[in-house]
Amino acid sequence: MRFTTIVGVDARHLQELRVAWPTWERNCPAVTAGPILFVTDLTPIELGQLGQLAPQARLVEARAILPIAFPPRHSVTQRELMLSAIAHAPRLVETELFLKLDTDTLAFPGDDALLRDHGAAIVAPRWNYTKPGCWIDTLDRWADAIGLIERR
């Protein structure tokens, strides 16, 4: 199964990624072996540090992939900028599937079996701490409808 790994990283989260990335290389190499897309707004020096993690990665400036109408009528926080850019990143992916990886997510031994044995998957904590709880129900109905996602 070939997929693109998408990671949004800004200056605040670069150190997190520098800690997390080697765990993915070691414990789930499929995540770091295929196409990688870093969506970022880092300075040139920080971009050099990021490039050392994954020299084969494609680096895309966050604002470069946002619609022309961005930003909206209100001032945009750094979090809103990066989340908006990540939302538009999949249109730059050339593989059929993509994996969105958070900078603070670590891989542990055996995690590669999830991708190898199950193909497409969503692995995430419950979202109700940042999203309305009803969104989980919507996601569950969608997952049940397509029949490709196994509940655990």
Side-chain angles (χ1 to χ4, degrees):
M1 173 181 55
R2 185 166 154 79
F3 59 90
T4 300
T5 299
I6 300 174
V7 183
V9 59
D10 57 12
R12 181 174 170 204
H13 297 95
L14 179 58
Q15 184 56 37
E16 280 181 349
L17 185 62
R18 291 175 75 182
V19 170
W21 193 257
T23 71
W24 289 98
E25 290 178 316
R26 183 173 50 254
N27 297 312
C28 195
V31 170
T32 61
I36 301 166
L37 177 64
F38 286 133
V39 177
T40 181
D41 71 341
L42 297 174
T43 66
I45 292 173
E46 294 163 334
L47 284 173
Q49 296 171 358
L50 182 60
Q52 291 171 0
L53 287 178
Q56 79 280 23
R58 182 174 168 203
L59 304 176
V60 177
E61 211 288 320
R63 290 189 181 272
I65 62 174
L66 294 171
I68 289 180
F70 192 88
R73 294 187 182 129
H74 67 283
S75 62
V76 177
T77 66
Q78 178 66 16
R79 182 173 189 268
E80 290 170 326
L81 167 70
M82 294 304 293
L83 288 174
S84 297
I86 287 295
H88 290 278
R91 64 190 165 118
L92 301 177
V93 170
E94 295 176 3
T95 56
E96 183 181 352
L97 301 172
F98 69 89
L99 170 81
K100 195 283 186 185
L101 187 68
D102 287 343
T103 57
D104 62 349
T105 305
L106 304 176
F108 294 94
D111 282 353
D112 61 333
L114 178 67
L115 291 172
R116 185 182 61 246
D117 299 342
H118 298 286
I122 295 175
V123 180
R126 294 198 173 272
W127 287 349
N128 57 359
Y129 59 91
T130 60
K131 309 278 189 283
C134 65
W135 287 15
I136 295 297
D137 295 332
T138 302
L139 180 61
D140 285 343
R141 283 191 300 278
W142 169 79
D144 291 341
I146 65 168
L148 292 175
I149 299 175
E150 175 183 330
R151 292 178 191 252
R152 290 189 176 214

